[in-house]
Amino acid sequence: MSVANEGEPLIEVRDLKKHFSAEGTADVVRAVDGVSFEIWQGETLGLVGESGCGKSTIGRSILRLHEPTSGSMTFDGTSVFGASNKELQRLRREMQIIFQDPYSSLDPRMSVGSIVSEPLKIHKIGTRAEQSDRVAELLKRVGLDPYYAKRYPHEFSGGQRQRIGIARALALNPRFIVCDEPVSALDVSVQAQVVNLLDDLQDELGLTYLFISHGLAVVEHISDRVAVMYLGKIVEICNADELYASPMHPYTKALLSAIPVPDPRQKRERIILKGDVPSPVDPPSGCRFRTRCPIASDECSSIEPDLREISQDHFVACIKAG
């Protein structure tokens, strides 16, 4: 699905930071350390990077499931970080989340009908009969039998549980959904089914997604644009087709080189990164990727690169890119 970036974005995040206190110490974990991006209505922005780079923290922070340390975010022109509890409750009807783990995100003591209808009850929408009808409609929409409303989460497979989680996220007719690694805990064959379902729902309902994943092949399939994260920062962001065809940041090139090629006759040069990811408690000076970068030089230790436009709508945080 291609979206033209015209007018005002639906989501606008500026200089988002989320720092955590390290338990039992005076250290500060800089999980997200100055991130800015926009998402337009009907668009999917893919957010990729290694585990621990801050992807999920961004998703939870923009919904205020984590209170941000600093920065700003607007949803359709309305400040989310500055919203009161009453305003935030209204905004949460428009913004929902699909969690990574379909096993721990559903209460095992609640029936599927209770799980999916819970948002309707919290926001006092409809009578009990209307809520029951809405649950049946949502289950059918995500490919499940409405009769399943009487059953409990332990009676379902991982893929079916994730469909229940998607139905719950759709209950309030949101406009924006954070998909927090929604397929990473599923078998590969089931992953494709769930991604296709999300794609179809976006077309039918005009949804806007932030799709978080460490699987670059999955992100390529569903995203209009892709942002690549490393150690709390976005290092590259552009159109998905352009990113996969012409990556500019050395970290992006290394990630893409690790994607398996389905044709055994086709060879791809693998870029092996040296060392481990540094600690977000004490990130390297200058460019955070320099300790593992194959093209790093002395000046990379003293210059912290900003995202700059290398070509139209292609932004890279690297002093040697371009």
Side-chain angles (χ1 to χ4, degrees), residues 13-230:
V13 176
R14 287 289 171 264
D15 199 27
L16 170 63
K17 295 182 180 180
K18 178 56 185 176
H19 298 169
F20 296 94
S21 297
E23 190 174 349
T25 72
D27 293 336
V28 174
V29 179
R30 296 170 173 82
V32 178
D33 207 22
V35 164
S36 300
F37 59 87
E38 306 84 24
I39 311 176
W40 273 262
Q41 175 68 46
E43 180 185 36
T44 298
L45 176 66
L47 187 60
V48 300
E50 293 170 287
S51 296
C53 69
K55 305 184 301 294
S56 293
T57 302
I58 285 180
R60 290 166 185 257
S61 294
I62 64 176
L63 298 180
R64 282 182 60 183
L65 299 179
H66 293 322
E67 284 297 329
T69 301
S70 63
S72 66
M73 177 200 162
T74 58
F75 174 84
D76 202 12
T78 300
S79 172
V80 175
F81 293 172
S84 65
N85 288 339
K86 186 174 181 180
E87 291 171 327
L88 189 59
Q89 186 174 27
R90 178 185 63 80
L91 285 168
R92 280 186 170 148
R93 292 180 62 168
E94 307 271 4
M95 305 186 297
Q96 290 292 309
I97 185 169
I98 301 167
F99 293 100
Q100 175 179 357
D101 188 351
Y103 292 89
S104 63
S105 63
L106 304 179
D107 190 333
R109 299 166 297 179
M110 296 174 67
S111 69
V112 168
S114 296
I115 289 169
V116 176
S117 65
E118 188 174 27
L120 302 172
K121 294 172 183 174
I122 290 172
H123 289 270
K124 299 180 173 61
I125 297 174
T127 63
R128 183 171 295 183
E130 289 169 338
Q131 291 173 357
S132 180
D133 290 343
R134 177 65 173 155
V135 168
E137 175 196 340
L138 288 165
L139 291 177
K140 192 178 296 184
R141 174 156 263 163
V142 300
L144 296 174
D145 193 315
Y147 176 75
Y148 290 171
K150 300 176 182 179
R151 296 184 179 178
Y152 288 81
H154 72 270
E155 300 178 69
F156 298 92
S157 67
Q160 289 174 319
R161 290 187 194 205
Q162 197 59 291
R163 288 174 185 266
I164 294 165
I166 293 170
R168 177 176 59 186
L170 294 174
L172 299 173
N173 286 318
R175 295 167 63 191
F176 172 60
I177 298 179
V178 173
C179 305
D180 185 9
E181 303 210 37
V183 298
S184 64
L186 307 178
D187 292 339
V188 174
S189 59
V190 180
Q191 287 183 12
Q193 295 171 18
V194 172
V195 169
N196 288 336
L197 171 63
L198 291 170
D199 225 356
D200 292 341
L201 290 171
Q202 183 174 47
D203 290 340
E204 292 170 20
L205 305 174
L207 296 169
T208 302
Y209 294 144
L210 174 64
F211 191 93
I212 298 167
S213 178
H214 59 261
L216 276 82
V218 173
V219 169
E220 181 182 18
H221 177 78
I222 197 171
S223 301
D224 297 293
R225 289 185 302 131
V226 177
V228 180
M229 277 197 77
Y230 184 79

